mmCIF file of all heavy atoms in Angstrom:
data_model
loop_
_atom_site.group_PDB
_atom_site.id
_atom_site.type_symbol
_atom_site.label_atom_id
_atom_site.label_comp_id
_atom_site.label_asym_id
_atom_site.label_seq_id
_atom_site.Cartn_x
_atom_site.Cartn_y
_atom_site.Cartn_z
ATOM 1 N N HIS A 219 93.706 99.391 76.438
ATOM 2 C CA HIS A 219 94.530 98.617 77.369
ATOM 3 C C HIS A 219 95.081 97.348 76.725
ATOM 4 O O HIS A 219 96.183 96.918 77.051
ATOM 5 C CB HIS A 219 93.774 98.352 78.667
ATOM 6 C CG HIS A 219 93.805 99.554 79.545
ATOM 7 N ND1 HIS A 219 92.961 100.624 79.348
ATOM 8 C CD2 HIS A 219 94.625 99.899 80.566
ATOM 9 C CE1 HIS A 219 93.250 101.573 80.221
ATOM 10 N NE2 HIS A 219 94.258 101.160 80.969
ATOM 11 N N ARG A 220 94.339 96.790 75.811
ATOM 12 C CA ARG A 220 94.879 95.642 75.070
ATOM 13 C C ARG A 220 96.162 96.064 74.347
ATOM 14 O O ARG A 220 97.178 95.373 74.400
ATOM 15 C CB ARG A 220 93.829 95.117 74.091
ATOM 16 C CG ARG A 220 94.250 93.838 73.400
ATOM 17 C CD ARG A 220 93.111 93.211 72.600
ATOM 18 N NE ARG A 220 92.201 92.559 73.541
ATOM 19 C CZ ARG A 220 90.894 92.768 73.583
ATOM 20 N NH1 ARG A 220 90.308 93.605 72.747
ATOM 21 N NH2 ARG A 220 90.143 92.138 74.456
ATOM 22 N N ALA A 221 96.133 97.232 73.716
ATOM 23 C CA ALA A 221 97.318 97.743 73.010
ATOM 24 C C ALA A 221 98.424 98.111 73.992
ATOM 25 O O ALA A 221 99.599 97.812 73.756
ATOM 26 C CB ALA A 221 96.930 98.954 72.164
ATOM 27 N N LEU A 222 98.066 98.753 75.108
ATOM 28 C CA LEU A 222 99.072 99.135 76.108
ATOM 29 C C LEU A 222 99.763 97.917 76.709
ATOM 30 O O LEU A 222 100.988 97.888 76.861
ATOM 31 C CB LEU A 222 98.430 99.960 77.221
ATOM 32 C CG LEU A 222 98.041 101.386 76.856
ATOM 33 C CD1 LEU A 222 97.140 101.980 77.927
ATOM 34 C CD2 LEU A 222 99.279 102.244 76.639
ATOM 35 N N PHE A 223 98.981 96.886 77.055
ATOM 36 C CA PHE A 223 99.561 95.677 77.657
ATOM 37 C C PHE A 223 100.464 94.937 76.677
ATOM 38 O O PHE A 223 101.399 94.257 77.082
ATOM 39 C CB PHE A 223 98.458 94.742 78.155
ATOM 40 C CG PHE A 223 97.660 95.266 79.318
ATOM 41 C CD1 PHE A 223 96.351 94.865 79.511
ATOM 42 C CD2 PHE A 223 98.205 96.160 80.237
ATOM 43 C CE1 PHE A 223 95.602 95.330 80.586
ATOM 44 C CE2 PHE A 223 97.464 96.633 81.313
ATOM 45 C CZ PHE A 223 96.163 96.214 81.491
ATOM 46 N N ALA A 224 100.181 95.076 75.389
ATOM 47 C CA ALA A 224 100.992 94.401 74.376
ATOM 48 C C ALA A 224 102.287 95.143 74.069
ATOM 49 O O ALA A 224 103.240 94.540 73.569
ATOM 50 C CB ALA A 224 100.184 94.229 73.089
ATOM 51 N N LYS A 225 102.338 96.444 74.382
ATOM 52 C CA LYS A 225 103.512 97.221 73.987
ATOM 53 C C LYS A 225 104.078 98.047 75.135
ATOM 54 O O LYS A 225 105.003 97.616 75.824
ATOM 55 C CB LYS A 225 103.160 98.114 72.801
ATOM 56 C CG LYS A 225 104.360 98.797 72.194
ATOM 57 C CD LYS A 225 104.044 99.449 70.871
ATOM 58 C CE LYS A 225 105.326 100.010 70.313
ATOM 59 N NZ LYS A 225 105.243 100.363 68.941
ATOM 60 N N TYR A 226 103.550 99.229 75.357
ATOM 61 C CA TYR A 226 104.145 100.180 76.294
ATOM 62 C C TYR A 226 104.115 99.721 77.746
ATOM 63 O O TYR A 226 105.018 100.048 78.516
ATOM 64 C CB TYR A 226 103.471 101.553 76.183
ATOM 65 C CG TYR A 226 103.656 102.182 74.829
ATOM 66 C CD1 TYR A 226 102.576 102.368 73.981
ATOM 67 C CD2 TYR A 226 104.912 102.568 74.389
ATOM 68 C CE1 TYR A 226 102.744 102.929 72.729
ATOM 69 C CE2 TYR A 226 105.091 103.128 73.146
ATOM 70 C CZ TYR A 226 103.999 103.301 72.308
ATOM 71 O OH TYR A 226 104.174 103.854 71.075
ATOM 72 N N LEU A 227 103.085 99.007 78.133
ATOM 73 C CA LEU A 227 102.959 98.578 79.532
ATOM 74 C C LEU A 227 103.158 97.077 79.694
ATOM 75 O O LEU A 227 102.795 96.499 80.718
ATOM 76 C CB LEU A 227 101.601 99.010 80.090
ATOM 77 C CG LEU A 227 101.402 100.524 80.130
ATOM 78 C CD1 LEU A 227 99.983 100.870 80.557
ATOM 79 C CD2 LEU A 227 102.422 101.183 81.041
ATOM 80 N N LYS A 228 103.762 96.447 78.703
ATOM 81 C CA LYS A 228 104.015 95.010 78.741
ATOM 82 C C LYS A 228 104.887 94.673 79.960
ATOM 83 O O LYS A 228 105.903 95.319 80.204
ATOM 84 C CB LYS A 228 104.716 94.572 77.460
ATOM 85 C CG LYS A 228 104.859 93.084 77.336
ATOM 86 C CD LYS A 228 105.445 92.717 75.989
ATOM 87 C CE LYS A 228 105.417 91.214 75.825
ATOM 88 N NZ LYS A 228 105.822 90.833 74.473
ATOM 89 N N GLY A 229 104.435 93.714 80.735
ATOM 90 C CA GLY A 229 105.206 93.260 81.887
ATOM 91 C C GLY A 229 105.118 94.150 83.113
ATOM 92 O O GLY A 229 105.811 93.913 84.095
ATOM 93 N N THR A 230 104.279 95.177 83.067
ATOM 94 C CA THR A 230 104.174 96.080 84.221
ATOM 95 C C THR A 230 103.185 95.548 85.245
ATOM 96 O O THR A 230 102.347 94.701 84.947
ATOM 97 C CB THR A 230 103.722 97.495 83.805
ATOM 98 O OG1 THR A 230 102.421 97.422 83.229
ATOM 99 C CG2 THR A 230 104.715 98.133 82.845
ATOM 100 N N ARG A 231 103.309 96.090 86.423
ATOM 101 C CA ARG A 231 102.364 95.840 87.499
ATOM 102 C C ARG A 231 101.773 97.196 87.886
ATOM 103 O O ARG A 231 102.308 98.235 87.514
ATOM 104 C CB ARG A 231 103.065 95.178 88.680
ATOM 105 C CG ARG A 231 103.631 93.809 88.290
ATOM 106 C CD ARG A 231 104.318 93.099 89.426
ATOM 107 N NE ARG A 231 103.475 92.846 90.579
ATOM 108 C CZ ARG A 231 102.614 91.833 90.696
ATOM 109 N NH1 ARG A 231 102.479 90.976 89.717
ATOM 110 N NH2 ARG A 231 101.911 91.672 91.802
ATOM 111 N N LEU A 232 100.701 97.149 88.634
ATOM 112 C CA LEU A 232 100.032 98.378 89.045
ATOM 113 C C LEU A 232 100.062 98.471 90.563
ATOM 114 O O LEU A 232 99.615 97.553 91.256
ATOM 115 C CB LEU A 232 98.585 98.372 88.545
ATOM 116 C CG LEU A 232 97.769 99.637 88.735
ATOM 117 C CD1 LEU A 232 98.385 100.801 87.971
ATOM 118 C CD2 LEU A 232 96.343 99.402 88.249
ATOM 119 N N ALA A 233 100.630 99.557 91.069
ATOM 120 C CA ALA A 233 100.634 99.842 92.507
ATOM 121 C C ALA A 233 99.506 100.818 92.778
ATOM 122 O O ALA A 233 99.259 101.721 91.975
ATOM 123 C CB ALA A 233 101.967 100.447 92.923
ATOM 124 N N ASP A 234 98.833 100.642 93.889
ATOM 125 C CA ASP A 234 97.686 101.487 94.194
ATOM 126 C C ASP A 234 97.590 101.696 95.694
ATOM 127 O O ASP A 234 97.958 100.822 96.478
ATOM 128 C CB ASP A 234 96.404 100.820 93.689
ATOM 129 C CG ASP A 234 95.194 101.698 93.853
ATOM 130 O OD1 ASP A 234 95.072 102.670 93.091
ATOM 131 O OD2 ASP A 234 94.388 101.420 94.756
ATOM 132 N N GLU A 235 97.107 102.863 96.076
ATOM 133 C CA GLU A 235 96.866 103.187 97.477
ATOM 134 C C GLU A 235 95.606 104.044 97.534
ATOM 135 O O GLU A 235 95.561 105.133 96.962
ATOM 136 C CB GLU A 235 98.060 103.978 98.037
ATOM 137 C CG GLU A 235 97.865 104.500 99.425
ATOM 138 C CD GLU A 235 98.993 105.449 99.852
ATOM 139 O OE1 GLU A 235 99.957 105.637 99.089
ATOM 140 O OE2 GLU A 235 98.855 105.990 100.947
ATOM 141 N N VAL A 236 94.569 103.531 98.170
ATOM 142 C CA VAL A 236 93.329 104.293 98.317
ATOM 143 C C VAL A 236 93.518 105.286 99.454
ATOM 144 O O VAL A 236 93.886 104.913 100.567
ATOM 145 C CB VAL A 236 92.131 103.361 98.595
ATOM 146 C CG1 VAL A 236 90.888 104.174 98.946
ATOM 147 C CG2 VAL A 236 91.869 102.465 97.389
ATOM 148 N N LEU A 237 93.282 106.560 99.167
ATOM 149 C CA LEU A 237 93.400 107.618 100.168
ATOM 150 C C LEU A 237 92.061 107.919 100.824
ATOM 151 O O LEU A 237 92.009 108.248 102.010
ATOM 152 C CB LEU A 237 93.943 108.898 99.531
ATOM 153 C CG LEU A 237 95.315 108.799 98.885
ATOM 154 C CD1 LEU A 237 95.651 110.105 98.168
ATOM 155 C CD2 LEU A 237 96.364 108.463 99.919
ATOM 156 N N ASP A 238 90.977 107.821 100.046
ATOM 157 C CA ASP A 238 89.690 108.264 100.548
ATOM 158 C C ASP A 238 88.571 107.627 99.739
ATOM 159 O O ASP A 238 88.678 107.492 98.517
ATOM 160 C CB ASP A 238 89.617 109.800 100.418
ATOM 161 C CG ASP A 238 88.393 110.403 101.046
ATOM 162 O OD1 ASP A 238 88.042 110.008 102.176
ATOM 163 O OD2 ASP A 238 87.782 111.275 100.407
ATOM 164 N N VAL A 239 87.500 107.237 100.423
ATOM 165 C CA VAL A 239 86.268 106.781 99.776
ATOM 166 C C VAL A 239 85.140 107.615 100.359
ATOM 167 O O VAL A 239 84.962 107.650 101.579
ATOM 168 C CB VAL A 239 85.996 105.283 100.046
ATOM 169 C CG1 VAL A 239 84.674 104.856 99.403
ATOM 170 C CG2 VAL A 239 87.137 104.406 99.550
ATOM 171 N N ARG A 240 84.428 108.335 99.495
ATOM 172 C CA ARG A 240 83.297 109.161 99.938
ATOM 173 C C ARG A 240 82.067 108.791 99.130
ATOM 174 O O ARG A 240 82.164 108.548 97.924
ATOM 175 C CB ARG A 240 83.604 110.648 99.725
ATOM 176 C CG ARG A 240 84.629 111.172 100.711
ATOM 177 C CD ARG A 240 85.092 112.575 100.351
ATOM 178 N NE ARG A 240 85.974 112.464 99.190
ATOM 179 C CZ ARG A 240 85.945 113.275 98.139
ATOM 180 N NH1 ARG A 240 85.122 114.282 98.095
ATOM 181 N NH2 ARG A 240 86.777 113.100 97.146
ATOM 182 N N PHE A 241 80.926 108.777 99.783
ATOM 183 C CA PHE A 241 79.671 108.456 99.120
ATOM 184 C C PHE A 241 78.831 109.719 98.971
ATOM 185 O O PHE A 241 78.777 110.545 99.872
ATOM 186 C CB PHE A 241 78.897 107.405 99.923
ATOM 187 C CG PHE A 241 79.531 106.054 99.842
ATOM 188 C CD1 PHE A 241 80.510 105.681 100.750
ATOM 189 C CD2 PHE A 241 79.172 105.160 98.847
ATOM 190 C CE1 PHE A 241 81.118 104.442 100.672
ATOM 191 C CE2 PHE A 241 79.773 103.916 98.756
ATOM 192 C CZ PHE A 241 80.743 103.556 99.677
ATOM 193 N N TYR A 242 78.185 109.832 97.827
ATOM 194 C CA TYR A 242 77.269 110.921 97.534
ATOM 195 C C TYR A 242 75.938 110.277 97.197
ATOM 196 O O TYR A 242 75.629 110.044 96.034
ATOM 197 C CB TYR A 242 77.803 111.792 96.385
ATOM 198 C CG TYR A 242 79.085 112.480 96.780
ATOM 199 C CD1 TYR A 242 80.325 111.908 96.521
ATOM 200 C CD2 TYR A 242 79.045 113.678 97.486
ATOM 201 C CE1 TYR A 242 81.490 112.522 96.936
ATOM 202 C CE2 TYR A 242 80.220 114.295 97.890
ATOM 203 C CZ TYR A 242 81.436 113.712 97.616
ATOM 204 O OH TYR A 242 82.591 114.317 98.033
ATOM 205 N N GLY A 243 75.194 109.938 98.224
ATOM 206 C CA GLY A 243 73.963 109.189 98.059
ATOM 207 C C GLY A 243 74.265 107.701 98.078
ATOM 208 O O GLY A 243 75.415 107.282 98.195
ATOM 209 N N PRO A 244 73.241 106.886 97.962
ATOM 210 C CA PRO A 244 73.429 105.442 98.096
ATOM 211 C C PRO A 244 74.078 104.769 96.892
ATOM 212 O O PRO A 244 74.561 103.640 97.008
ATOM 213 C CB PRO A 244 71.999 104.931 98.289
ATOM 214 C CG PRO A 244 71.141 105.937 97.603
ATOM 215 C CD PRO A 244 71.834 107.260 97.807
ATOM 216 N N ASP A 245 74.135 105.448 95.746
ATOM 217 C CA ASP A 245 74.585 104.789 94.527
ATOM 218 C C ASP A 245 75.765 105.450 93.833
ATOM 219 O O ASP A 245 76.053 105.145 92.674
ATOM 220 C CB ASP A 245 73.409 104.689 93.541
ATOM 221 C CG ASP A 245 72.266 103.880 94.107
ATOM 222 O OD1 ASP A 245 72.530 102.889 94.816
ATOM 223 O OD2 ASP A 245 71.101 104.243 93.852
ATOM 224 N N THR A 246 76.451 106.372 94.511
ATOM 225 C CA THR A 246 77.595 107.067 93.913
ATOM 226 C C THR A 246 78.715 107.177 94.937
ATOM 227 O O THR A 246 78.478 107.579 96.076
ATOM 228 C CB THR A 246 77.204 108.484 93.450
ATOM 229 O OG1 THR A 246 76.081 108.391 92.565
ATOM 230 C CG2 THR A 246 78.353 109.170 92.718
ATOM 231 N N ALA A 247 79.918 106.819 94.511
ATOM 232 C CA ALA A 247 81.085 106.923 95.389
ATOM 233 C C ALA A 247 82.230 107.556 94.619
ATOM 234 O O ALA A 247 82.376 107.345 93.407
ATOM 235 C CB ALA A 247 81.500 105.541 95.891
ATOM 236 N N VAL A 248 83.046 108.326 95.325
ATOM 237 C CA VAL A 248 84.253 108.898 94.753
ATOM 238 C C VAL A 248 85.435 108.342 95.546
ATOM 239 O O VAL A 248 85.460 108.432 96.773
ATOM 240 C CB VAL A 248 84.243 110.441 94.804
ATOM 241 C CG1 VAL A 248 85.574 111.009 94.334
ATOM 242 C CG2 VAL A 248 83.103 110.986 93.956
ATOM 243 N N VAL A 249 86.372 107.757 94.809
ATOM 244 C CA VAL A 249 87.577 107.207 95.416
ATOM 245 C C VAL A 249 88.754 108.036 94.937
ATOM 246 O O VAL A 249 88.915 108.261 93.736
ATOM 247 C CB VAL A 249 87.785 105.721 95.022
ATOM 248 C CG1 VAL A 249 89.090 105.186 95.588
ATOM 249 C CG2 VAL A 249 86.603 104.875 95.466
ATOM 250 N N THR A 250 89.565 108.499 95.867
ATOM 251 C CA THR A 250 90.799 109.205 95.533
ATOM 252 C C THR A 250 91.945 108.316 95.973
ATOM 253 O O THR A 250 91.917 107.746 97.075
ATOM 254 C CB THR A 250 90.865 110.560 96.261
ATOM 255 O OG1 THR A 250 89.682 111.294 95.965
ATOM 256 C CG2 THR A 250 92.085 111.359 95.815
ATOM 257 N N GLY A 251 92.947 108.194 95.112
ATOM 258 C CA GLY A 251 94.075 107.333 95.450
ATOM 259 C C GLY A 251 95.343 107.767 94.758
ATOM 260 O O GLY A 251 95.361 108.724 93.983
ATOM 261 N N ARG A 252 96.380 107.043 95.075
ATOM 262 C CA ARG A 252 97.677 107.200 94.399
ATOM 263 C C ARG A 252 97.951 105.910 93.654
ATOM 264 O O ARG A 252 97.519 104.839 94.076
ATOM 265 C CB ARG A 252 98.790 107.435 95.411
ATOM 266 C CG ARG A 252 98.727 108.771 96.091
ATOM 267 C CD ARG A 252 100.004 109.018 96.910
ATOM 268 N NE ARG A 252 99.941 110.320 97.509
ATOM 269 C CZ ARG A 252 99.680 110.539 98.793
ATOM 270 N NH1 ARG A 252 99.480 109.530 99.607
ATOM 271 N NH2 ARG A 252 99.639 111.765 99.267
ATOM 272 N N GLY A 253 98.695 106.015 92.578
ATOM 273 C CA GLY A 253 99.014 104.814 91.818
ATOM 274 C C GLY A 253 100.246 105.013 90.966
ATOM 275 O O GLY A 253 100.755 106.124 90.837
ATOM 276 N N ASP A 254 100.694 103.908 90.419
ATOM 277 C CA ASP A 254 101.833 103.935 89.514
ATOM 278 C C ASP A 254 101.982 102.582 88.852
ATOM 279 O O ASP A 254 101.568 101.566 89.417
ATOM 280 C CB ASP A 254 103.123 104.271 90.253
ATOM 281 C CG ASP A 254 103.967 105.281 89.520
ATOM 282 O OD1 ASP A 254 103.943 105.295 88.276
ATOM 283 O OD2 ASP A 254 104.655 106.072 90.190
ATOM 284 N N THR A 255 102.574 102.583 87.676
ATOM 285 C CA THR A 255 102.948 101.326 87.034
ATOM 286 C C THR A 255 104.428 101.106 87.305
ATOM 287 O O THR A 255 105.183 102.064 87.495
ATOM 288 C CB THR A 255 102.696 101.374 85.519
ATOM 289 O OG1 THR A 255 103.414 102.478 84.959
ATOM 290 C CG2 THR A 255 101.216 101.529 85.219
ATOM 291 N N TYR A 256 104.811 99.835 87.328
ATOM 292 C CA TYR A 256 106.220 99.533 87.608
ATOM 293 C C TYR A 256 106.584 98.146 87.111
ATOM 294 O O TYR A 256 105.715 97.309 86.858
ATOM 295 C CB TYR A 256 106.503 99.643 89.106
ATOM 296 C CG TYR A 256 105.809 98.601 89.953
ATOM 297 C CD1 TYR A 256 106.480 97.451 90.369
ATOM 298 C CD2 TYR A 256 104.486 98.751 90.347
ATOM 299 C CE1 TYR A 256 105.849 96.488 91.134
ATOM 300 C CE2 TYR A 256 103.855 97.805 91.122
ATOM 301 C CZ TYR A 256 104.529 96.673 91.514
ATOM 302 O OH TYR A 256 103.903 95.715 92.273
ATOM 303 N N LYS A 257 107.870 97.922 86.995
ATOM 304 C CA LYS A 257 108.455 96.600 86.763
ATOM 305 C C LYS A 257 109.431 96.373 87.901
ATOM 306 O O LYS A 257 110.031 97.318 88.393
ATOM 307 C CB LYS A 257 109.189 96.552 85.424
ATOM 308 C CG LYS A 257 108.266 96.584 84.220
ATOM 309 C CD LYS A 257 109.056 96.431 82.934
ATOM 310 C CE LYS A 257 108.114 96.439 81.752
ATOM 311 N NZ LYS A 257 108.823 96.268 80.485
ATOM 312 N N GLY A 258 109.585 95.147 88.328
ATOM 313 C CA GLY A 258 110.497 94.880 89.449
ATOM 314 C C GLY A 258 109.825 95.186 90.767
ATOM 315 O O GLY A 258 108.687 94.809 91.001
ATOM 316 N N SER A 259 110.530 95.915 91.619
ATOM 317 C CA SER A 259 110.024 96.226 92.957
ATOM 318 C C SER A 259 109.005 97.356 92.917
ATOM 319 O O SER A 259 109.150 98.307 92.156
ATOM 320 C CB SER A 259 111.176 96.649 93.875
ATOM 321 O OG SER A 259 112.103 95.603 93.994
ATOM 322 N N ARG A 260 108.015 97.258 93.793
ATOM 323 C CA ARG A 260 107.003 98.302 93.916
ATOM 324 C C ARG A 260 107.683 99.604 94.343
ATOM 325 O O ARG A 260 108.499 99.609 95.274
ATOM 326 C CB ARG A 260 105.973 97.884 94.958
ATOM 327 C CG ARG A 260 104.888 98.908 95.186
ATOM 328 C CD ARG A 260 103.971 98.462 96.326
ATOM 329 N NE ARG A 260 103.156 99.536 96.804
ATOM 330 C CZ ARG A 260 101.875 99.699 96.541
ATOM 331 N NH1 ARG A 260 101.241 98.809 95.821
ATOM 332 N NH2 ARG A 260 101.212 100.732 97.015
ATOM 333 N N PRO A 261 107.356 100.732 93.690
ATOM 334 C CA PRO A 261 107.961 102.015 94.079
ATOM 335 C C PRO A 261 107.501 102.437 95.474
ATOM 336 O O PRO A 261 106.372 102.172 95.877
ATOM 337 C CB PRO A 261 107.463 102.988 93.018
ATOM 338 C CG PRO A 261 106.293 102.336 92.381
ATOM 339 C CD PRO A 261 106.428 100.868 92.585
ATOM 340 N N ARG A 262 108.402 103.072 96.203
ATOM 341 C CA ARG A 262 108.047 103.567 97.542
ATOM 342 C C ARG A 262 107.079 104.733 97.460
ATOM 343 O O ARG A 262 106.177 104.856 98.263
ATOM 344 C CB ARG A 262 109.298 103.981 98.300
ATOM 345 C CG ARG A 262 110.127 102.806 98.738
ATOM 346 C CD ARG A 262 111.315 103.180 99.555
ATOM 347 N NE ARG A 262 111.393 104.619 99.819
ATOM 348 C CZ ARG A 262 112.392 105.201 100.407
ATOM 349 N NH1 ARG A 262 113.409 104.502 100.807
ATOM 350 N NH2 ARG A 262 112.391 106.503 100.600
ATOM 351 N N LYS A 263 107.302 105.621 96.494
ATOM 352 C CA LYS A 263 106.420 106.776 96.310
ATOM 353 C C LYS A 263 105.677 106.605 94.991
ATOM 354 O O LYS A 263 106.290 106.387 93.955
ATOM 355 C CB LYS A 263 107.216 108.076 96.299
ATOM 356 C CG LYS A 263 107.812 108.396 97.651
ATOM 357 C CD LYS A 263 108.362 109.796 97.690
ATOM 358 C CE LYS A 263 108.862 110.080 99.090
ATOM 359 N NZ LYS A 263 109.142 111.468 99.307
ATOM 360 N N LEU A 264 104.373 106.736 95.060
ATOM 361 C CA LEU A 264 103.547 106.609 93.861
ATOM 362 C C LEU A 264 103.369 107.993 93.244
ATOM 363 O O LEU A 264 103.069 108.951 93.939
ATOM 364 C CB LEU A 264 102.205 105.973 94.228
ATOM 365 C CG LEU A 264 102.322 104.621 94.938
ATOM 366 C CD1 LEU A 264 100.947 104.060 95.270
ATOM 367 C CD2 LEU A 264 103.129 103.634 94.123
ATOM 368 N N THR A 265 103.581 108.079 91.925
ATOM 369 C CA THR A 265 103.694 109.388 91.265
ATOM 370 C C THR A 265 102.408 109.912 90.640
ATOM 371 O O THR A 265 102.419 110.992 90.066
ATOM 372 C CB THR A 265 104.775 109.338 90.167
ATOM 373 O OG1 THR A 265 104.365 108.421 89.144
ATOM 374 C CG2 THR A 265 106.123 108.938 90.727
#
């Protein structure tokens, strides 16, 4: 990520949407979500 932030993802932001959080016992969780990187305005649809 240090390399990505310095070059390919320089100046990007991260959009995220959590769809689901499920627990499997007291110490394990699975999160499913949508996300995307962007510059400028946040994308309407996350890819």
Side-chain angles (χ1 to χ4, degrees):
H219 281 80
R220 186 171 284 128
L222 287 167
F223 293 152
K225 189 169 184 166
Y226 297 113
L227 297 174
K228 187 175 187 173
T230 62
R231 297 181 59 81
L232 187 62
D234 185 73
E235 174 188 356
V236 172
L237 300 174
D238 186 45
V239 178
R240 288 171 286 137
F241 288 89
Y242 295 92
D245 299 323
T246 305
V248 174
V249 176
T250 306
R252 290 189 178 104
D254 225 328
T255 57
Y256 67 98
K257 289 184 179 181
S259 299
R260 179 185 165 104
R262 288 184 3 186
K263 292 191 176 192
L264 304 180
T265 64

